[in-house]
Structure formats: C-alpha cells, structure tokens
Amino acid sequence: MKKYLSMLLLGVSALVAVNAAQAGAIDDAVKRGTLKVGMDPTYMPFEMTNKRGEIIGFEVDLLKAMAKSMGVKLEMVSTGYDGIIPALLTDKFDMIGSGMTLTQERNLRLNFSDPFIVVGQTLLIRKELEGTIKSYKDLNSADYRITSKLGTTGEMVAKKLIAKAKYHGYDNEQEAVLDVVNGKADAFIYDAPYNVVALSKVGNGKLVFLDKPFTYEPLAFGLKKGDHDSLNFINNFLHQIHEDGTYDRIHDKWFKSTEWLKDME
C-alpha cells in the first residue's frame, strides 16, 4: 500500500511538473507583461512597415486589441515567412500573427485559432493578357511564367493548380508583383486583399486584376501544439470583438478606407 501511494504521489508530482513546464503562451505573456508575436511585415494591409519604420495593419490592430485585453504590451518580432513556423517552435515568440492561412499541412505542426478573416487567391496579370487569361486554368501551360511569395499559399497553389507553368518565387510580395509590371512574368498569385492594394500602389496601369478568388483560405493565429488554454482565450477574444463592434471598426479602417496608404512609402 505504501509503495502504491508513493508511486501515485510520484505520478501526481510529475503531472504537476509537466503542466508547469507547458504553461500556455497567453499565461506566459501575462506573467512577462509582453505578448510576443512573430510576423513578416510585408503583407498589405494585414502587416506592413510605414514610412516611419512602424509596423501597422489590420492584423496588427487586432493584436493590439488582444494585448490590451490581456493588460500587456504587444511586441512584434519581424521574421521571414519561410522560417516563421520553426521560429515559433523554438520559442522566439508566443504566437504567429502573419496572415497565415490555416491549411491541413500546417495544422499538423501547429494549433490554430478560429479564423479572423477568410480570403482567397486571385491573379494580377499583364495587361497584354487581358481577355486571353480569364482564370488560373488558362495559365496552366509551359508558355506562361508565374510568380508569388515563397512559403505562402500563393506558392502552394501555383505549384498544385498551375503546375505546367514556369514558376519563380520571391522573398517578398512587391518584388514578385514588379516582375509582372516589368513584363518578366505573366501573373502574380496572391490573396485578394493584397492584390487590391498592389494594383493601385505598384501596378502603374500595367496590370489587370482578376478579382474572383479561386481558393478558400481562412487566416488564423498560430500557436504551438497542445496549447489549448491559449486557444480558448484567443477564440473568446475574437468572439467578443465581433459582437461589441471592435472588429468592424478595425476591419473598415483597413478595407473600406485607403487613408492608410498615405502613410506608406
């Protein structure tokens, strides 16, 4: 009996130790006083760097509201998109907030919150191809060269749905768009909200926007596997701001107004 009790107590102690070691990201942030979020600030209008070097955007404002609800400061950790998941898994920050699409492949490595917005892939094509290219299917030929940002669902979609076309990706969106503007590529594949802005900001009258999304892409916050307490907090936060008007106010600032463009280079 004594041996059984000793083993039971040892098991309880081990369980307590494991739980302590696996404190959730939100709990850690509250204790630290800072919520650290990894992001690649190149995705207009979700997260981007203005002419004063400040990171601003729709997702940034959502995260600021989240940090405020926790009573902590928000610290944005600038991270290249292709290395953002490994950086989370090695504790460089608490969570990913970088316009990340919740895919099944990524979900095998991460936990995701409920989506905070749903977008879809669209096309920016060379103006000369207007009428010839009417959908992504028309690009699926070795005659065409397509581009997107490396590590994104734009790249995944290009290689899966437009596999016959020649593909060349870039580390940031603007370089890829300029490839099309300069006639070096035929089409840029990316999320609709970014393409709307890129069309007016860098299109220079040389692009046509095929605005009908051809994928379904829920964007969500990414956390380490098993962090259910943090997911519970974030999902309840998202529900709250949808109901109290905060979400609509932030959304309209970035998607129904273009005032923020004046703040960009």
Side-chain angles (χ1 to χ4, degrees), residues 81-156:
Y81 201 82
D82 57 350
I84 205 165
I85 292 178
L88 172 70
L89 299 180
T90 52
D91 300 318
K92 298 296 190 298
F93 37 78
D94 301 310
M95 59 186 283
I96 294 173
S98 195
M100 181 166 280
T101 301
L102 194 173
T103 67
Q104 279 62 59
E105 181 184 3
R106 288 171 178 158
N107 211 174
L108 291 172
R109 302 178 68 191
L110 303 178
N111 280 159
F112 281 97
S113 70
D114 291 340
F116 57 82
I117 197 171
V118 174
V119 298
Q121 296 297 304
T122 56
L123 296 171
L124 290 175
I125 64 171
R126 286 194 298 113
K127 193 170 182 62
E128 294 82 359
L129 294 174
E130 186 174 12
T132 301
I133 302 300
K134 297 178 181 179
S135 81
Y136 74 92
K137 295 177 182 178
D138 297 326
L139 288 166
N140 196 25
S141 163
D143 294 334
Y144 295 112
R145 186 177 184 273
I146 58 178
T147 186
S148 191
K149 181 178 178 178
L150 292 169
T152 66
T153 47
E155 179 187 15
M156 296 176 197

Side-chain angles (χ1 to χ4, degrees), residues 146-216:
I146 58 178
T147 186
S148 191
K149 181 178 178 178
L150 292 169
T152 66
T153 47
E155 179 187 15
M156 296 176 197
V157 165
K159 292 180 177 180
K160 183 178 181 181
L161 300 182
I162 319 175
K164 292 180 181 178
K166 301 180 184 73
Y167 177 82
H168 181 76
Y170 287 89
D171 289 332
N172 67 68
E173 294 91 344
Q174 187 159 314
E175 278 187 277
V177 174
L178 288 174
D179 231 22
V180 185
V181 171
N182 295 328
K184 296 179 181 178
D186 298 301
F188 171 73
I189 304 157
Y190 217 65
D191 299 344
Y194 180 89
N195 280 349
V196 170
V197 178
L199 181 67
S200 60
K201 190 172 186 296
V202 297
N204 200 27
K206 296 182 177 181
L207 301 176
V208 174
F209 181 32
L210 302 187
D211 61 355
K212 185 177 180 180
F214 56 92
T215 61
Y216 169 82

